[in-house]
Amino acid sequence: MSTIQSSSYRRARDHFEPQDIDPHEQRRLRGLMEQIDYTAYVSNREVVGQMLASIDPAHFQRLAVTAATARAKWVAEALRQSESGAPSTPDQVARLTAYRTAYEELAEAYEGLRRMVERGYIPMKAQA
C-alpha cells in the first residue's frame, strides 16, 4: 500500500537539499535542482494536460463516489467473512484482497488527480 499523500506541505524526500558543502556550491546545486524541478513541472503540465484536458468538480465527485463504493464493498466483504467465525479460505482472502486493491487504486487515483490540479498540470473548470 502506498503512503504518499497529497498536501500542501513539503516532505524531505520531495527535493534534494544539499548539506555540508560550501555556500557557493550549495547555491549552484540548488539552482540546478530548481531547473530540473521546473523541467518536470513543464513536462507534467504538457503531457497530463493533453491527456486529461480539463477537470470539473463533477469528475471529482464521480471518482470520490466510486472510491467510496469500493471501500464499502471491501469492508462489507470483510464483515461478511467474519460472520461465521471460521478462518477465511484462500478464495475469500483473494476476494477481500481484490476489493481492497480496487479501493486503494481508486483512492490513489483521486489523490493523484487532486495533486495534478493543485500543481497546475490540468486546469480546473468552474462549476456551472
Side-chain angles (χ1 to χ4, degrees), residues 10-100:
R10 188 170 148 187
R11 295 176 300 277
R13 69 179 187 267
D14 274 350
H15 298 281
F16 173 76
E17 295 189 15
Q19 298 175 12
D20 299 333
I21 56 177
D22 79 273
H24 297 289
E25 180 64 14
Q26 246 182 7
R27 278 191 294 278
R28 186 193 71 74
L29 202 47
R30 187 166 284 121
L32 178 62
M33 297 312 295
E34 285 177 7
Q35 285 178 333
I36 291 168
D37 287 345
Y38 184 72
T39 299
Y41 166 76
V42 170
S43 298
N44 274 291
R45 192 180 65 206
E46 289 177 9
V47 172
V48 173
Q50 285 178 1
M51 291 185 77
L52 298 178
S54 67
I55 300 296
D56 63 32
H59 289 101
F60 277 94
Q61 182 180 11
R62 286 192 300 271
L63 191 51
V65 168
T66 303
T69 301
R71 180 185 234 177
K73 284 181 181 180
W74 169 43
V75 172
E77 177 63 19
L79 291 172
R80 190 186 68 70
Q81 288 182 23
S82 70
E83 286 176 358
S84 71
S88 295
T89 66
D91 287 343
Q92 289 174 318
V93 171
R95 187 169 46 252
L96 192 58
T97 300
Y99 283 133
R100 178 184 45 82

